[in-house]
Each structure stands twice: as C-alpha cells, then as structure tokens.
Amino acid sequence: MLILGVETSCDDTAAAVLFNGHEVLANLVSSQDSVHGPYGGVVPELASRQHIRSILPIIEGALQKAGVRLKDLDGIAVTRGPGLVGSLLVGLSVVKGISFRWKIPYVGINHLEAHLLAIFLERDVAFPYIALIASGGHTLLYMVREFGEYLYLGGTRDDAAGEAYDKVAKMMGLGYPGGRVIDQLAKSGDSKFVSFPRSRMKKGSYDFSFSGIKTAVWHYFRETGKNGGEDQQSNIAASFQEAVVDMLVNPTLRAVRELGVNRIVLAGGVAANSRLRAKMLEETKKEGIEVYIPPPALCTDNGAMIAHCGYHWLKRGRRDDFRLNADADLTL
Ligand code: KG4
Ligand code: ZN
C-alpha cells in the first residue's frame, strides 16, 4: 500500500511517501524559518503564502524521490487540524484536488494523533504508553491505550515548551527558532549558574506551565543589566534548559508511576532536545521504565507521521469526502 502524507499545519511544508505503513520512501520538509526568523515567531499570513509556493514542488519532490507517480498511490493522508487555519487549508485543498483528479481516496488526519504514533515508523512499542508531545505549539501528555484510544492527562496552561525556548532565544538575540541553538549553547554551560523557578501544579494534575520561566529569564536580564553577554550565554542557556527539562520530565514520570504504565514515548520538536532525552533516560533507568524517542526528523513536523497515521485509518476503511474542512482547534 502506497500512501502520500501531506503536512502544512504550521510553518513547515512537508510531504512523504510510505510503503505498507512503515517503509519511508521519501520524507521531505521545506522549512520556513528564514521567512519567519526576522519576526521572531510564525506570522500566519506569511506561512499560508509560503505553503502555496512550496506545496507542489515538495509533493513532486517526494514522489520523485520515492520513484512513484500519483496514479500509483493507494491513498493520501493530510493534516486537517489542529494548527493555523490558513496553513491547513493549503494542504487540504491541494490534496482534495489530487484526490478528485486521480480518484485516490484521502483521509484528514489529526496532527496530534500523528505525533503520538510517529515512533512506530522507527520501531514497535507495546500499548499502553505515556506520550509527551512537546513542540512550538503544544505541550500535552496522553496515555495511548491502543490505536485510536487516547486518554488526555494534561497540557500546558499557557506557553508551549518550544514557545518558551523560542521566546528566551529571542531575548538572548539568538534568532528563530531558538530551541536547537539554546540546546547547543547549553552543552558548554553550567546549569546551576542561575536557579530559575520550576512551576508546580497541584497534586494529581499533569498540567504544565512555561510562562513563569520565560518571565524569570526576562527579570534576570533586567536586574543584572546583562543581555547574556557572550561569556554568560551558555550558562544562562543551560540554567534555563535545565528548568524546562525538569518541568517536562517531572509530570511525565509522575504519570508513569501513578498510572502504572512503564513506557514513555516522546514526540514533537522539543523531543529533539539532547538534555531532555538524556534526563528522561537517566531518571527512568533505575525503575526499568522504557523510553522511546524517535529520531529528530520524526519528532519535528513531517509528512511521514501523517502518512503512517493515514495508513491505519485507510486500512480500517475510513474515507473522507470533499466536504471535510480544516479545523484549527481540532482535539483528540
Ligand atoms: O514540532 P515542531 O517542528 O513544530 C511545531 O511547533 O509544531 O517543533 C518546533 C519547536 C520550536 O519551538 C523549536 O524551538 C523547538 O521545537 N525545538 C527544540 C529543539 N529543536 C527544535 N527545542 C529544544 N531543543 C531542541 N533541540
Ligand atoms: Zn507538531
């Protein structure tokens, strides 16, 4: 079964071709970082326009790399939400056009479900597992009971973890997006240099909060009169990162222990973070908890995870018709 996956929910235009649900024949992403960089964050209108420019070349590129033609496809999967509505509409409209012209069935995919299952492109994981999605737009904790059965455990009450990275990077003059740069800088820094506060939720809650750490970094710069001069930058990056990682790891570990599930899966762009990966492994080693982390290209937004999710839905007989609309606030 050959599936084309198309993803345009935010600021990356992505397409992938998947064979039999697992074998990635092509997985291409056209990044818009240089478009949004000067603004320090995603500008929705610019994102939609850039998707319009990139979508056909990316789909054609993915088909070419996979060595297949449109008429060879058995199905198409496309993100229908959540995300920026203008961005979502570009992918959905193009896929509807291809589906109509070539009479190929298509399904609209929930972007969050695709992140939750992306690990299966790399290896099999037994159900149930606790999944942490941490990206620029989301910080969510779910229990994945089986395919199609997702129990919401908690989410961020304000900023997403990646958003905190991007905003702090902006304060430090490090450009956009900032996660990877801070991760890199932190490697040579002292994480105990500043003790930034960790937000705490009340007992029983698996929610997150990242606005406090962002404000704390802002106050640190204001009070010390430093804007993270070169000698300080790596120390501040490491201190900030340690706090964010603690705030991601702690609720996840609590969920695993309290719910008696001994498997963790990470997903989303922030799951590419080296300290998060290391700390999650460190903290779970003694307790025999299994941690599964997809490679960075499957953590960040990509077409392969959409195609994989679509494969499962198409196999179960789901087909969407041309009335399907994009849904910016789609939940699981
Ligand atoms: O999942 P993603 O590609 O897009 C969405 O936001 O949906 O995630 C992008 C986010 C950005 O906020 C970026 O700064 C963050 O993931 N990110 C990282 C790292 N790589 C990307 N954050 C921390 N450490 C990284 N290595
Ligand atoms: Zn995402």
mmCIF file with all atom_site columns, all heavy atoms in Angstrom, residues 10 12 111 115 135-137 162-163 165-166 177-180 183 268-270 272-274 299-301, ligand 1:
data_model
loop_
_atom_site.group_PDB
_atom_site.id
_atom_site.type_symbol
_atom_site.label_atom_id
_atom_site.label_alt_id
_atom_site.label_comp_id
_atom_site.label_asym_id
_atom_site.label_entity_id
_atom_site.label_seq_id
_atom_site.pdbx_PDB_ins_code
_atom_site.Cartn_x
_atom_site.Cartn_y
_atom_site.Cartn_z
_atom_site.occupancy
_atom_site.B_iso_or_equiv
_atom_site.pdbx_formal_charge
_atom_site.auth_seq_id
_atom_site.auth_comp_id
_atom_site.auth_asym_id
_atom_site.auth_atom_id
_atom_site.pdbx_PDB_model_num
ATOM   1   N N   . CYS A 1 10  ? 1.547  24.223 10.317 1.00 0.00 ? 10  CYS A N   1
ATOM   2   C CA  . CYS A 1 10  ? 2.135  25.427 10.915 1.00 0.00 ? 10  CYS A CA  1
ATOM   3   C C   . CYS A 1 10  ? 3.058  26.099 9.899  1.00 0.00 ? 10  CYS A C   1
ATOM   4   O O   . CYS A 1 10  ? 2.589  26.662 8.920  1.00 0.00 ? 10  CYS A O   1
ATOM   5   C CB  . CYS A 1 10  ? 2.836  25.063 12.211 1.00 0.00 ? 10  CYS A CB  1
ATOM   6   S SG  . CYS A 1 10  ? 3.378  26.495 13.149 1.00 0.00 ? 10  CYS A SG  1
ATOM   7   N N   . ASP A 1 12  ? 5.949  24.523 8.412  1.00 0.00 ? 12  ASP A N   1
ATOM   8   C CA  . ASP A 1 12  ? 6.765  23.641 7.580  1.00 0.00 ? 12  ASP A CA  1
ATOM   9   C C   . ASP A 1 12  ? 5.873  23.005 6.533  1.00 0.00 ? 12  ASP A C   1
ATOM   10  O O   . ASP A 1 12  ? 4.798  22.510 6.866  1.00 0.00 ? 12  ASP A O   1
ATOM   11  C CB  . ASP A 1 12  ? 7.404  22.518 8.419  1.00 0.00 ? 12  ASP A CB  1
ATOM   12  C CG  . ASP A 1 12  ? 8.553  23.031 9.263  1.00 0.00 ? 12  ASP A CG  1
ATOM   13  O OD1 . ASP A 1 12  ? 9.303  23.896 8.774  1.00 0.00 ? 12  ASP A OD1 1
ATOM   14  O OD2 . ASP A 1 12  ? 8.681  22.571 10.412 1.00 0.00 ? 12  ASP A OD2 1
ATOM   15  N N   . HIS A 1 111 ? -3.267 16.062 13.602 1.00 0.00 ? 111 HIS A N   1
ATOM   16  C CA  . HIS A 1 111 ? -1.824 16.237 13.733 1.00 0.00 ? 111 HIS A CA  1
ATOM   17  C C   . HIS A 1 111 ? -1.293 15.631 15.054 1.00 0.00 ? 111 HIS A C   1
ATOM   18  O O   . HIS A 1 111 ? -0.196 15.056 15.089 1.00 0.00 ? 111 HIS A O   1
ATOM   19  C CB  . HIS A 1 111 ? -1.557 17.750 13.679 1.00 0.00 ? 111 HIS A CB  1
ATOM   20  C CG  . HIS A 1 111 ? -0.142 18.155 13.788 1.00 0.00 ? 111 HIS A CG  1
ATOM   21  N ND1 . HIS A 1 111 ? 0.690  18.246 12.705 1.00 0.00 ? 111 HIS A ND1 1
ATOM   22  C CD2 . HIS A 1 111 ? 0.610  18.509 14.863 1.00 0.00 ? 111 HIS A CD2 1
ATOM   23  C CE1 . HIS A 1 111 ? 1.879  18.640 13.103 1.00 0.00 ? 111 HIS A CE1 1
ATOM   24  N NE2 . HIS A 1 111 ? 1.866  18.801 14.410 1.00 0.00 ? 111 HIS A NE2 1
ATOM   25  N N   . HIS A 1 115 ? 1.591  12.675 15.774 1.00 0.00 ? 115 HIS A N   1
ATOM   26  C CA  . HIS A 1 115 ? 2.767  12.780 16.656 1.00 0.00 ? 115 HIS A CA  1
ATOM   27  C C   . HIS A 1 115 ? 2.803  11.603 17.639 1.00 0.00 ? 115 HIS A C   1
ATOM   28  O O   . HIS A 1 115 ? 3.858  11.026 17.898 1.00 0.00 ? 115 HIS A O   1
ATOM   29  C CB  . HIS A 1 115 ? 2.705  14.077 17.475 1.00 0.00 ? 115 HIS A CB  1
ATOM   30  C CG  . HIS A 1 115 ? 3.375  15.257 16.835 1.00 0.00 ? 115 HIS A CG  1
ATOM   31  N ND1 . HIS A 1 115 ? 4.663  15.237 16.366 1.00 0.00 ? 115 HIS A ND1 1
ATOM   32  C CD2 . HIS A 1 115 ? 2.928  16.527 16.610 1.00 0.00 ? 115 HIS A CD2 1
ATOM   33  C CE1 . HIS A 1 115 ? 4.991  16.436 15.879 1.00 0.00 ? 115 HIS A CE1 1
ATOM   34  N NE2 . HIS A 1 115 ? 3.949  17.234 16.009 1.00 0.00 ? 115 HIS A NE2 1
ATOM   35  N N   . SER A 1 135 ? 6.176  20.696 21.597 1.00 0.00 ? 135 SER A N   1
ATOM   36  C CA  . SER A 1 135 ? 6.601  21.373 20.355 1.00 0.00 ? 135 SER A CA  1
ATOM   37  C C   . SER A 1 135 ? 6.432  22.872 20.525 1.00 0.00 ? 135 SER A C   1
ATOM   38  O O   . SER A 1 135 ? 6.222  23.358 21.644 1.00 0.00 ? 135 SER A O   1
ATOM   39  C CB  . SER A 1 135 ? 5.757  20.860 19.187 1.00 0.00 ? 135 SER A CB  1
ATOM   40  O OG  . SER A 1 135 ? 4.437  21.334 19.317 1.00 0.00 ? 135 SER A OG  1
ATOM   41  N N   . GLY A 1 136 ? 6.501  23.594 19.413 1.00 0.00 ? 136 GLY A N   1
ATOM   42  C CA  . GLY A 1 136 ? 6.338  25.050 19.476 1.00 0.00 ? 136 GLY A CA  1
ATOM   43  C C   . GLY A 1 136 ? 4.896  25.433 19.770 1.00 0.00 ? 136 GLY A C   1
ATOM   44  O O   . GLY A 1 136 ? 4.624  26.512 20.298 1.00 0.00 ? 136 GLY A O   1
ATOM   45  N N   . GLY A 1 137 ? 3.963  24.554 19.448 1.00 0.00 ? 137 GLY A N   1
ATOM   46  C CA  . GLY A 1 137 ? 2.545  24.872 19.625 1.00 0.00 ? 137 GLY A CA  1
ATOM   47  C C   . GLY A 1 137 ? 1.854  24.073 20.712 1.00 0.00 ? 137 GLY A C   1
ATOM   48  O O   . GLY A 1 137 ? 0.767  24.435 21.162 1.00 0.00 ? 137 GLY A O   1
ATOM   49  N N   . GLY A 1 162 ? 8.244  24.630 23.512 1.00 0.00 ? 162 GLY A N   1
ATOM   50  C CA  . GLY A 1 162 ? 9.039  25.159 22.404 1.00 0.00 ? 162 GLY A CA  1
ATOM   51  C C   . GLY A 1 162 ? 8.904  26.672 22.274 1.00 0.00 ? 162 GLY A C   1
ATOM   52  O O   . GLY A 1 162 ? 9.856  27.368 21.910 1.00 0.00 ? 162 GLY A O   1
ATOM   53  N N   . GLU A 1 163 ? 7.715  27.154 22.617 1.00 0.00 ? 163 GLU A N   1
ATOM   54  C CA  . GLU A 1 163 ? 7.466  28.594 22.575 1.00 0.00 ? 163 GLU A CA  1
ATOM   55  C C   . GLU A 1 163 ? 8.361  29.297 23.599 1.00 0.00 ? 163 GLU A C   1
ATOM   56  O O   . GLU A 1 163 ? 8.911  30.368 23.331 1.00 0.00 ? 163 GLU A O   1
ATOM   57  C CB  . GLU A 1 163 ? 5.988  28.792 22.944 1.00 0.00 ? 163 GLU A CB  1
ATOM   58  C CG  . GLU A 1 163 ? 5.367  30.081 22.530 1.00 0.00 ? 163 GLU A CG  1
ATOM   59  C CD  . GLU A 1 163 ? 3.881  30.089 22.948 1.00 0.00 ? 163 GLU A CD  1
ATOM   60  O OE1 . GLU A 1 163 ? 3.314  29.016 23.264 1.00 0.00 ? 163 GLU A OE1 1
ATOM   61  O OE2 . GLU A 1 163 ? 3.320  31.187 22.943 1.00 0.00 ? 163 GLU A OE2 1
ATOM   62  N N   . TYR A 1 165 ? 11.262 28.223 24.655 1.00 0.00 ? 165 TYR A N   1
ATOM   63  C CA  . TYR A 1 165 ? 12.604 28.202 24.062 1.00 0.00 ? 165 TYR A CA  1
ATOM   64  C C   . TYR A 1 165 ? 12.742 29.348 23.057 1.00 0.00 ? 165 TYR A C   1
ATOM   65  O O   . TYR A 1 165 ? 13.728 30.082 23.051 1.00 0.00 ? 165 TYR A O   1
ATOM   66  C CB  . TYR A 1 165 ? 12.838 26.879 23.319 1.00 0.00 ? 165 TYR A CB  1
ATOM   67  C CG  . TYR A 1 165 ? 13.549 25.835 24.144 1.00 0.00 ? 165 TYR A CG  1
ATOM   68  C CD1 . TYR A 1 165 ? 12.849 24.832 24.793 1.00 0.00 ? 165 TYR A CD1 1
ATOM   69  C CD2 . TYR A 1 165 ? 14.935 25.857 24.268 1.00 0.00 ? 165 TYR A CD2 1
ATOM   70  C CE1 . TYR A 1 165 ? 13.499 23.866 25.546 1.00 0.00 ? 165 TYR A CE1 1
ATOM   71  C CE2 . TYR A 1 165 ? 15.597 24.898 25.013 1.00 0.00 ? 165 TYR A CE2 1
ATOM   72  C CZ  . TYR A 1 165 ? 14.874 23.909 25.647 1.00 0.00 ? 165 TYR A CZ  1
ATOM   73  O OH  . TYR A 1 165 ? 15.538 22.970 26.394 1.00 0.00 ? 165 TYR A OH  1
ATOM   74  N N   . ASP A 1 166 ? 11.740 29.489 22.175 1.00 0.00 ? 166 ASP A N   1
ATOM   75  C CA  . ASP A 1 166 ? 11.838 30.492 21.112 1.00 0.00 ? 166 ASP A CA  1
ATOM   76  C C   . ASP A 1 166 ? 11.837 31.919 21.677 1.00 0.00 ? 166 ASP A C   1
ATOM   77  O O   . ASP A 1 166 ? 12.548 32.785 21.184 1.00 0.00 ? 166 ASP A O   1
ATOM   78  C CB  . ASP A 1 166 ? 10.691 30.303 20.104 1.00 0.00 ? 166 ASP A CB  1
ATOM   79  C CG  . ASP A 1 166 ? 10.805 28.970 19.374 1.00 0.00 ? 166 ASP A CG  1
ATOM   80  O OD1 . ASP A 1 166 ? 11.919 28.423 19.316 1.00 0.00 ? 166 ASP A OD1 1
ATOM   81  O OD2 . ASP A 1 166 ? 9.774  28.471 18.870 1.00 0.00 ? 166 ASP A OD2 1
ATOM   82  N N   . PRO A 1 177 ? 13.933 29.619 14.772 1.00 0.00 ? 177 PRO A N   1
ATOM   83  C CA  . PRO A 1 177 ? 13.522 29.162 16.100 1.00 0.00 ? 177 PRO A CA  1
ATOM   84  C C   . PRO A 1 177 ? 14.736 28.945 17.003 1.00 0.00 ? 177 PRO A C   1
ATOM   85  O O   . PRO A 1 177 ? 15.835 28.712 16.520 1.00 0.00 ? 177 PRO A O   1
ATOM   86  C CB  . PRO A 1 177 ? 12.815 27.835 15.786 1.00 0.00 ? 177 PRO A CB  1
ATOM   87  C CG  . PRO A 1 177 ? 13.424 27.356 14.509 1.00 0.00 ? 177 PRO A CG  1
ATOM   88  C CD  . PRO A 1 177 ? 13.852 28.564 13.744 1.00 0.00 ? 177 PRO A CD  1
ATOM   89  N N   . GLY A 1 178 ? 14.493 28.990 18.324 1.00 0.00 ? 178 GLY A N   1
ATOM   90  C CA  . GLY A 1 178 ? 15.635 29.054 19.236 1.00 0.00 ? 178 GLY A CA  1
ATOM   91  C C   . GLY A 1 178 ? 16.008 27.758 19.920 1.00 0.00 ? 178 GLY A C   1
ATOM   92  O O   . GLY A 1 178 ? 17.070 27.680 20.548 1.00 0.00 ? 178 GLY A O   1
ATOM   93  N N   . GLY A 1 179 ? 15.151 26.737 19.832 1.00 0.00 ? 179 GLY A N   1
ATOM   94  C CA  . GLY A 1 179 ? 15.381 25.515 20.604 1.00 0.00 ? 179 GLY A CA  1
ATOM   95  C C   . GLY A 1 179 ? 16.725 24.874 20.350 1.00 0.00 ? 179 GLY A C   1
ATOM   96  O O   . GLY A 1 179 ? 17.475 24.588 21.284 1.00 0.00 ? 179 GLY A O   1
ATOM   97  N N   . ARG A 1 180 ? 17.031 24.690 19.083 1.00 0.00 ? 180 ARG A N   1
ATOM   98  C CA  . ARG A 1 180 ? 18.272 23.990 18.741 1.00 0.00 ? 180 ARG A CA  1
ATOM   99  C C   . ARG A 1 180 ? 19.503 24.797 19.155 1.00 0.00 ? 180 ARG A C   1
ATOM   100 O O   . ARG A 1 180 ? 20.495 24.249 19.636 1.00 0.00 ? 180 ARG A O   1
ATOM   101 C CB  . ARG A 1 180 ? 18.315 23.707 17.245 1.00 0.00 ? 180 ARG A CB  1
ATOM   102 C CG  . ARG A 1 180 ? 19.029 22.413 16.961 1.00 0.00 ? 180 ARG A CG  1
ATOM   103 C CD  . ARG A 1 180 ? 18.892 21.964 15.581 1.00 0.00 ? 180 ARG A CD  1
ATOM   104 N NE  . ARG A 1 180 ? 18.175 22.946 14.768 1.00 0.00 ? 180 ARG A NE  1
ATOM   105 C CZ  . ARG A 1 180 ? 17.965 22.807 13.477 1.00 0.00 ? 180 ARG A CZ  1
ATOM   106 N NH1 . ARG A 1 180 ? 18.393 21.752 12.880 1.00 0.00 ? 180 ARG A NH1 1
ATOM   107 N NH2 . ARG A 1 180 ? 17.332 23.709 12.773 1.00 0.00 ? 180 ARG A NH2 1
ATOM   108 N N   . ASP A 1 183 ? 19.898 24.590 22.932 1.00 0.00 ? 183 ASP A N   1
ATOM   109 C CA  . ASP A 1 183 ? 20.361 23.225 23.215 1.00 0.00 ? 183 ASP A CA  1
ATOM   110 C C   . ASP A 1 183 ? 21.881 23.137 22.998 1.00 0.00 ? 183 ASP A C   1
ATOM   111 O O   . ASP A 1 183 ? 22.634 22.617 23.835 1.00 0.00 ? 183 ASP A O   1
ATOM   112 C CB  . ASP A 1 183 ? 19.611 22.270 22.256 1.00 0.00 ? 183 ASP A CB  1
ATOM   113 C CG  . ASP A 1 183 ? 19.801 20.803 22.613 1.00 0.00 ? 183 ASP A CG  1
ATOM   114 O OD1 . ASP A 1 183 ? 20.476 20.518 23.603 1.00 0.00 ? 183 ASP A OD1 1
ATOM   115 O OD2 . ASP A 1 183 ? 19.258 19.949 21.880 1.00 0.00 ? 183 ASP A OD2 1
ATOM   116 N N   . GLY A 1 268 ? 7.282  15.517 19.074 1.00 0.00 ? 268 GLY A N   1
ATOM   117 C CA  . GLY A 1 268 ? 7.298  16.974 18.910 1.00 0.00 ? 268 GLY A CA  1
ATOM   118 C C   . GLY A 1 268 ? 8.719  17.503 18.842 1.00 0.00 ? 268 GLY A C   1
ATOM   119 O O   . GLY A 1 268 ? 9.677  16.831 19.247 1.00 0.00 ? 268 GLY A O   1
ATOM   120 N N   . GLY A 1 269 ? 8.862  18.728 18.324 1.00 0.00 ? 269 GLY A N   1
ATOM   121 C CA  . GLY A 1 269 ? 10.182 19.313 18.091 1.00 0.00 ? 269 GLY A CA  1
ATOM   122 C C   . GLY A 1 269 ? 11.084 19.348 19.307 1.00 0.00 ? 269 GLY A C   1
ATOM   123 O O   . GLY A 1 269 ? 12.294 19.120 19.199 1.00 0.00 ? 269 GLY A O   1
ATOM   124 N N   . VAL A 1 270 ? 10.516 19.598 20.497 1.00 0.00 ? 270 VAL A N   1
ATOM   125 C CA  . VAL A 1 270 ? 11.349 19.704 21.706 1.00 0.00 ? 270 VAL A CA  1
ATOM   126 C C   . VAL A 1 270 ? 11.907 18.327 22.113 1.00 0.00 ? 270 VAL A C   1
ATOM   127 O O   . VAL A 1 270 ? 12.909 18.246 22.823 1.00 0.00 ? 270 VAL A O   1
ATOM   128 C CB  . VAL A 1 270 ? 10.553 20.379 22.858 1.00 0.00 ? 270 VAL A CB  1
ATOM   129 C CG1 . VAL A 1 270 ? 11.397 20.532 24.103 1.00 0.00 ? 270 VAL A CG1 1
ATOM   130 C CG2 . VAL A 1 270 ? 10.038 21.750 22.417 1.00 0.00 ? 270 VAL A CG2 1
ATOM   131 N N   . ALA A 1 272 ? 13.537 16.618 20.357 1.00 0.00 ? 272 ALA A N   1
ATOM   132 C CA  . ALA A 1 272 ? 14.869 16.544 19.752 1.00 0.00 ? 272 ALA A CA  1
ATOM   133 C C   . ALA A 1 272 ? 15.935 17.065 20.728 1.00 0.00 ? 272 ALA A C   1
ATOM   134 O O   . ALA A 1 272 ? 17.127 16.957 20.473 1.00 0.00 ? 272 ALA A O   1
ATOM   135 C CB  . ALA A 1 272 ? 14.904 17.365 18.462 1.00 0.00 ? 272 ALA A CB  1
ATOM   136 N N   . ASN A 1 273 ? 15.490 17.639 21.848 1.00 0.00 ? 273 ASN A N   1
ATOM   137 C CA  . ASN A 1 273 ? 16.436 18.261 22.796 1.00 0.00 ? 273 ASN A CA  1
ATOM   138 C C   . ASN A 1 273 ? 17.335 17.226 23.476 1.00 0.00 ? 273 ASN A C   1
ATOM   139 O O   . ASN A 1 273 ? 16.860 16.257 24.064 1.00 0.00 ? 273 ASN A O   1
ATOM   140 C CB  . ASN A 1 273 ? 15.637 19.039 23.851 1.00 0.00 ? 273 ASN A CB  1
ATOM   141 C CG  . ASN A 1 273 ? 16.536 19.783 24.802 1.00 0.00 ? 273 ASN A CG  1
ATOM   142 O OD1 . ASN A 1 273 ? 16.867 19.292 25.874 1.00 0.00 ? 273 ASN A OD1 1
ATOM   143 N ND2 . ASN A 1 273 ? 16.969 20.947 24.389 1.00 0.00 ? 273 ASN A ND2 1
ATOM   144 N N   . SER A 1 274 ? 18.635 17.493 23.435 1.00 0.00 ? 274 SER A N   1
ATOM   145 C CA  . SER A 1 274 ? 19.587 16.495 23.930 1.00 0.00 ? 274 SER A CA  1
ATOM   146 C C   . SER A 1 274 ? 19.476 16.298 25.444 1.00 0.00 ? 274 SER A C   1
ATOM   147 O O   . SER A 1 274 ? 19.593 15.182 25.938 1.00 0.00 ? 274 SER A O   1
ATOM   148 C CB  . SER A 1 274 ? 21.003 16.890 23.557 1.00 0.00 ? 274 SER A CB  1
ATOM   149 O OG  . SER A 1 274 ? 21.318 18.130 24.131 1.00 0.00 ? 274 SER A OG  1
ATOM   150 N N   . CYS A 1 299 ? 10.490 13.625 15.048 1.00 0.00 ? 299 CYS A N   1
ATOM   151 C CA  . CYS A 1 299 ? 9.955  14.385 16.198 1.00 0.00 ? 299 CYS A CA  1
ATOM   152 C C   . CYS A 1 299 ? 9.327  15.677 15.699 1.00 0.00 ? 299 CYS A C   1
ATOM   153 O O   . CYS A 1 299 ? 8.225  16.056 16.099 1.00 0.00 ? 299 CYS A O   1
ATOM   154 C CB  . CYS A 1 299 ? 11.075 14.747 17.178 1.00 0.00 ? 299 CYS A CB  1
ATOM   155 S SG  . CYS A 1 299 ? 11.669 13.383 18.162 1.00 0.00 ? 299 CYS A SG  1
ATOM   156 N N   . THR A 1 300 ? 10.054 16.387 14.826 1.00 0.00 ? 300 THR A N   1
ATOM   157 C CA  . THR A 1 300 ? 9.532  17.653 14.297 1.00 0.00 ? 300 THR A CA  1
ATOM   158 C C   . THR A 1 300 ? 8.441  17.342 13.272 1.00 0.00 ? 300 THR A C   1
ATOM   159 O O   . THR A 1 300 ? 8.273  16.190 12.859 1.00 0.00 ? 300 THR A O   1
ATOM   160 C CB  . THR A 1 300 ? 10.665 18.476 13.643 1.00 0.00 ? 300 THR A CB  1
ATOM   161 O OG1 . THR A 1 300 ? 11.358 17.614 12.752 1.00 0.00 ? 300 THR A OG1 1
ATOM   162 C CG2 . THR A 1 300 ? 11.643 18.999 14.661 1.00 0.00 ? 300 THR A CG2 1
ATOM   163 N N   . ASP A 1 301 ? 7.698  18.368 12.871 1.00 0.00 ? 301 ASP A N   1
ATOM   164 C CA  . ASP A 1 301 ? 6.581  18.132 11.948 1.00 0.00 ? 301 ASP A CA  1
ATOM   165 C C   . ASP A 1 301 ? 7.091  17.526 10.643 1.00 0.00 ? 301 ASP A C   1
ATOM   166 O O   . ASP A 1 301 ? 8.063  18.011 10.065 1.00 0.00 ? 301 ASP A O   1
ATOM   167 C CB  . ASP A 1 301 ? 5.853  19.455 11.672 1.00 0.00 ? 301 ASP A CB  1
ATOM   168 C CG  . ASP A 1 301 ? 5.077  19.919 12.896 1.00 0.00 ? 301 ASP A CG  1
ATOM   169 O OD1 . ASP A 1 301 ? 4.951  19.122 13.845 1.00 0.00 ? 301 ASP A OD1 1
ATOM   170 O OD2 . ASP A 1 301 ? 4.610  21.065 12.900 1.00 0.00 ? 301 ASP A OD2 1
HETATM 171 O O1  . KG4 B 2 .   ? 7.171  20.027 16.254 1.00 0.00 ? 1   KG4 B O1  1
HETATM 172 P P1  . KG4 B 2 .   ? 7.810  21.254 15.668 1.00 0.00 ? 1   KG4 B P1  1
HETATM 173 O O2  . KG4 B 2 .   ? 8.727  21.077 14.496 1.00 0.00 ? 1   KG4 B O2  1
HETATM 174 O O3  . KG4 B 2 .   ? 6.745  22.285 15.177 1.00 0.00 ? 1   KG4 B O3  1
HETATM 175 C C1  . KG4 B 2 .   ? 5.630  22.668 15.920 1.00 0.00 ? 1   KG4 B C1  1
HETATM 176 O O4  . KG4 B 2 .   ? 5.787  23.605 16.718 1.00 0.00 ? 1   KG4 B O4  1
HETATM 177 O O5  . KG4 B 2 .   ? 4.571  22.012 15.751 1.00 0.00 ? 1   KG4 B O5  1
HETATM 178 O O6  . KG4 B 2 .   ? 8.543  21.983 16.873 1.00 0.00 ? 1   KG4 B O6  1
HETATM 179 C C2  . KG4 B 2 .   ? 9.243  23.202 16.742 1.00 0.00 ? 1   KG4 B C2  1
HETATM 180 C C3  . KG4 B 2 .   ? 9.678  23.645 18.125 1.00 0.00 ? 1   KG4 B C3  1
HETATM 181 C C4  . KG4 B 2 .   ? 10.297 25.033 18.137 1.00 0.00 ? 1   KG4 B C4  1
HETATM 182 O O7  . KG4 B 2 .   ? 9.751  25.766 19.202 1.00 0.00 ? 1   KG4 B O7  1
HETATM 183 C C5  . KG4 B 2 .   ? 11.782 24.758 18.339 1.00 0.00 ? 1   KG4 B C5  1
HETATM 184 O O8  . KG4 B 2 .   ? 12.446 25.804 19.019 1.00 0.00 ? 1   KG4 B O8  1
HETATM 185 C C6  . KG4 B 2 .   ? 11.729 23.500 19.187 1.00 0.00 ? 1   KG4 B C6  1
HETATM 186 O O9  . KG4 B 2 .   ? 10.662 22.744 18.642 1.00 0.00 ? 1   KG4 B O9  1
HETATM 187 N N1  . KG4 B 2 .   ? 12.966 22.713 19.070 1.00 0.00 ? 1   KG4 B N1  1
HETATM 188 C C7  . KG4 B 2 .   ? 13.766 22.442 20.128 1.00 0.00 ? 1   KG4 B C7  1
HETATM 189 C C8  . KG4 B 2 .   ? 14.860 21.714 19.626 1.00 0.00 ? 1   KG4 B C8  1
HETATM 190 N N2  . KG4 B 2 .   ? 14.691 21.554 18.273 1.00 0.00 ? 1   KG4 B N2  1
HETATM 191 C C9  . KG4 B 2 .   ? 13.518 22.164 17.961 1.00 0.00 ? 1   KG4 B C9  1
HETATM 192 N N3  . KG4 B 2 .   ? 13.634 22.767 21.429 1.00 0.00 ? 1   KG4 B N3  1
HETATM 193 C C10 . KG4 B 2 .   ? 14.615 22.356 22.257 1.00 0.00 ? 1   KG4 B C10 1
HETATM 194 N N4  . KG4 B 2 .   ? 15.703 21.684 21.851 1.00 0.00 ? 1   KG4 B N4  1
HETATM 195 C C11 . KG4 B 2 .   ? 15.868 21.323 20.557 1.00 0.00 ? 1   KG4 B C11 1
HETATM 196 N N5  . KG4 B 2 .   ? 16.961 20.625 20.175 1.00 0.00 ? 1   KG4 B N5  1
#
